[in-house]
Amino acid sequence: MRRRYSGLLAAAVATAMTLTLSGCGGSGGEVTLRLVAADYGDSEANTSRRYWDQLAADYESSHPGVSIDISVYSWAEVDKKVADMVKRGEEPDIAQIGSYADYADRNKLYRADEVLSIPTQADFLPKLAEAGEFRRVQYGLPFAASTRLFFYNKALFAEAGIEEPPQSWAELQDAAEALKDAGVETPYALPLGPEEAQAETMLWSLSGGGGFVDSVGSYTLDSPENIRAFEWLRDELVGKGLTGPGDPAALNRQDAFDAFARGEVGMLNGHPTLMRQAEKEDVEFGTAPLPGRTGVAEATMGVNDWLMAFKKNGNRKQIGDFLDYVYSEPNTLEFADRYDMLPVTRSASEAMRADEKHEPMREFLDQLPEAVHYPSNKTTWAYVSKTIKQEIGPAVARDGDPSGVLSRIQRDAFATENAAR
């Protein structure tokens, strides 16, 4: 009965769409939706284009008159590609990129409630939907999420005589010293290089009781808690040779992950993709909540990417119908499963949790509802994130000045925010 009802409903939707499109302008009443998306794959074999091509083909087969034109770019170029399209007045209908606030501020986007059905919009995890709000209106549609956990190499821990993962900074330092004494070259990997330094920065800020913004959304980059966290890193980890022979300012996140997967790193913060990478190399690892200043950290970081619907081409109804299909439970779960991400909807999250093959993801799922996200609802966040990537690394050098560096970033963020008003 359920399959029969779903089939009847799909047929009814397809019929309604056909009737609607027959009254539209253009050649034969057909509509082409242009979608620009980021690539989550690491090779041609698992490029995101394969996911989107199959999704579009399935959708088009039951929606005559609608075609989906797909462009997939690497994360290094996709945001600029979309920005250039907008600058030329050639907005895509849908973009899946890292930030939406600037386009919402310029009145380029449909509101979520203008394109999504009520059941689809209500299915988003509340914190993720809230993170998609610009001036208390949702424009950003959460698409793929992840959280961070503390990873440790079980074999290296055993060799160093460490029985349990650390729960506090002091225990982390003790574990790092034990690993160093056991001959581990990089007891704790601290990736503050330009690839993703803003992530490691936020993790240490949160674990110290700080963060990037306060309760009203104002930047707090040079808060006492953040300064204290980076002074501790400078004095108790980097200064004591517990982060390896290289400079944390030059260590990128992927390089740290690669070293962990080779069995060369004792501890680091990681997201779900690190599990599969380590498993491929037969590294026995464990995960735990982030160590905090005096005990387990109260919060971890969540990362979320965004879909957004542009107004320019006026295809609101067709965009909305396609997005409802994108966010159906099986499609949301399929993307998350394929790319080691976390689903952004309640229904897909519950399906992932219920499936035994996804048991390793449950700890990440547990963290997601209360995870703290980047302030991506601020039009200045892209600039501030770039500044953090460029400047935070030297703060933890042996002669570094965390207070000076964080204060400089804060002043720059404040000036950029005022200029944007």
Side-chain angles (χ1 to χ4, degrees), residues 350-369:
E350 290 168 1
M352 178 176 277
R353 185 182 296 278
D355 191 334
E356 288 300 320
K357 78 172 185 177
H358 292 302
E359 192 276 334
M361 298 292 281
R362 290 174 185 167
E363 194 170 3
F364 291 95
L365 287 167
D366 290 343
Q367 300 279 344
L368 186 57

Side-chain angles (χ1 to χ4, degrees), residues 55-197:
L55 187 78
D58 292 345
Y59 181 81
E60 290 167 352
S61 69
S62 59
H63 294 77
V66 179
S67 59
I68 314 297
D69 178 54
I70 300 166
S71 299
V72 176
Y73 300 101
S74 71
W75 272 110
E77 59 181 343
V78 67
D79 288 284
K80 187 176 187 304
K81 290 285 187 182
V82 173
D84 289 344
M85 291 176 188
V86 174
K87 187 175 182 179
R88 295 193 303 265
E90 300 173 356
E91 287 93 320
D93 295 281
I94 303 167
Q96 186 268 300
I97 52 179
S99 179
Y100 66 87
D102 179 56
Y103 300 122
D105 186 44
R106 293 153 60 189
N107 198 30
K108 298 286 187 181
L109 304 180
Y110 287 115
R111 302 190 312 266
D113 63 357
E114 291 180 306
V115 287
L116 297 180
S117 67
I118 291 174
T120 297
Q121 194 174 358
D123 199 25
F124 288 133
L125 293 169
K127 277 264 188 154
L128 303 188
E130 181 181 333
E133 293 180 358
F134 178 73
R135 294 174 183 162
R136 300 188 179 182
V137 176
Q138 187 181 359
Y139 294 93
L141 313 179
F143 179 67
S146 69
T147 57
R148 299 294 195 268
L149 288 173
F150 180 81
F151 280 70
Y152 60 98
N153 183 310
K154 288 186 174 181
L156 296 181
F157 264 44
E159 291 173 13
I162 307 168
E163 297 182 356
E164 299 290 340
Q167 297 187 356
S168 67
W169 290 356
E171 291 178 4
L172 174 62
Q173 182 187 6
D174 289 343
E177 289 177 341
L179 288 164
K180 183 179 180 181
D181 291 343
V184 178
E185 190 172 52
T186 305
Y188 179 85
L190 183 64
L192 292 176
E195 178 191 0
E196 204 181 38

Side-chain angles (χ1 to χ4, degrees), residues 52-336:
W52 286 112
D53 282 348
Q54 185 61 58
L55 187 78
D58 292 345
Y59 181 81
E60 290 167 352
S61 69
S62 59
H63 294 77
V66 179
S67 59
I68 314 297
D69 178 54
I70 300 166
S71 299
V72 176
Y73 300 101
S74 71
W75 272 110
E77 59 181 343
V78 67
D79 288 284
K80 187 176 187 304
K81 290 285 187 182
V82 173
D84 289 344
M85 291 176 188
V86 174
K87 187 175 182 179
R88 295 193 303 265
E90 300 173 356
E91 287 93 320
D93 295 281
I94 303 167
Q96 186 268 300
I97 52 179
S99 179
Y100 66 87
D102 179 56
Y103 300 122
D105 186 44
R106 293 153 60 189
N107 198 30
K108 298 286 187 181
L109 304 180
Y110 287 115
R111 302 190 312 266
D113 63 357
E114 291 180 306
V115 287
L116 297 180
S117 67
I118 291 174
T120 297
Q121 194 174 358
D123 199 25
F124 288 133
L125 293 169
K127 277 264 188 154
L128 303 188
E130 181 181 333
E133 293 180 358
F134 178 73
R135 294 174 183 162
R136 300 188 179 182
V137 176
Q138 187 181 359
Y139 294 93
L141 313 179
F143 179 67
S146 69
T147 57
R148 299 294 195 268
L149 288 173
F150 180 81
F151 280 70
Y152 60 98
N153 183 310
K154 288 186 174 181
L156 296 181
F157 264 44
E159 291 173 13
I162 307 168
E163 297 182 356
E164 299 290 340
Q167 297 187 356
S168 67
W169 290 356
E171 291 178 4
L172 174 62
Q173 182 187 6
D174 289 343
E177 289 177 341
L179 288 164
K180 183 179 180 181
D181 291 343
V184 178
E185 190 172 52
T186 305
Y188 179 85
L190 183 64
L192 292 176
E195 178 191 0
E196 204 181 38
Q198 84 285 1
E200 192 74 9
T201 300
M202 189 166 174
L203 287 166
W204 280 96
S205 297
L206 291 172
S207 71
F212 283 177
V213 295
D214 61 20
S215 60
V216 296
S218 298
Y219 285 115
T220 56
L221 299 163
D222 63 346
S223 69
E225 293 84 1
N226 292 350
I227 292 171
R228 179 174 58 198
F230 278 81
E231 288 177 342
W232 187 88
L233 284 172
R234 178 195 63 191
D235 298 337
E236 306 302 333
L237 286 189
V238 179
K240 294 183 177 179
L242 302 177
T243 57
D247 181 359
L251 179 63
N252 282 324
R253 187 264 307 163
Q254 189 58 57
D255 294 331
F257 280 18
D258 292 345
F260 186 82
R262 293 193 300 267
E264 299 169 0
V265 171
M267 306 173 284
L268 80 171
N269 296 322
H271 53 64
T273 59
L274 181 56
M275 292 195 302
R276 185 169 297 186
Q277 187 176 353
E279 287 168 353
K280 285 180 180 178
E281 301 299 328
D282 294 322
V283 171
E284 188 179 3
F285 65 90
T287 58
L290 302 182
R293 190 171 69 88
T294 58
V296 172
E298 294 183 3
T300 189
M301 181 184 75
V303 176
N304 191 65
D305 302 320
W306 304 99
L307 274 170
M308 58 210 70
F310 284 88
K311 293 180 178 181
K312 179 67 182 289
N313 303 314
N315 297 319
R316 182 181 66 82
K317 179 175 175 58
Q318 293 84 5
I319 291 170
D321 191 77
F322 178 65
L323 289 176
D324 280 343
Y325 183 75
V326 169
Y327 283 110
S328 65
E329 179 192 310
N331 290 331
T332 301
L333 185 59
E334 164 65 19
F335 187 89

